[in-house]
Amino acid sequence: MKDTKLSSLLIEEEAIIVDINCDIVFRRRLQDLGFIKGETVKCLLISPFGDPSAYLINNSTVALRQKDAQFIFVEKKNRSEVDNHKNAKKL
């Protein structure tokens, strides 16, 4: 699938982080929050005015502004990948 920006995820969509494209200081801040290449992220909420959005990553909920989420590139998961990933975590 084509890489897309984290800010484009809709509620309940899941994706895998493939890249963080920003300066090193801000990248480190995002990594400290759990946004690491290869991690699964899920959009939980989008505020009524569209900014910020809440994401689930590593069992934590993190709110990001659109201008910050645009630096994180993800690959959206299809529904079967999501189900397989959830079943693998249960084992």
Side-chain angles (χ1 to χ4, degrees), residues 9-13 41-46 53-56:
L9 288 184
L10 301 175
I11 293 175
E12 296 296 318
E13 279 190 313
V41 62
K42 178 179 182 179
C43 182
L44 294 178
L45 299 167
I46 299 173
S53 296
Y55 301 96
L56 179 67

Side-chain angles (χ1 to χ4, degrees), residues 30-83:
L30 290 171
Q31 290 172 335
D32 289 344
L33 291 169
F35 293 93
I36 299 169
K37 187 175 179 178
E39 289 292 331
T40 298
V41 62
K42 178 179 182 179
C43 182
L44 294 178
L45 299 167
I46 299 173
S47 71
F49 295 108
D51 203 25
S53 296
Y55 301 96
L56 179 67
I57 187 155
N58 292 328
N59 294 323
S60 296
T61 302
V62 179
L64 287 180
R65 294 182 182 111
Q66 291 277 345
K67 69 177 187 136
D68 297 334
Q70 73 180 349
F71 298 117
I72 302 171
F73 291 87
V74 298
E75 184 177 304
K76 291 183 182 181
K77 289 184 168 185
N78 61 36
R79 184 41 77 199
S80 63
E81 287 178 305
V82 171
D83 292 339

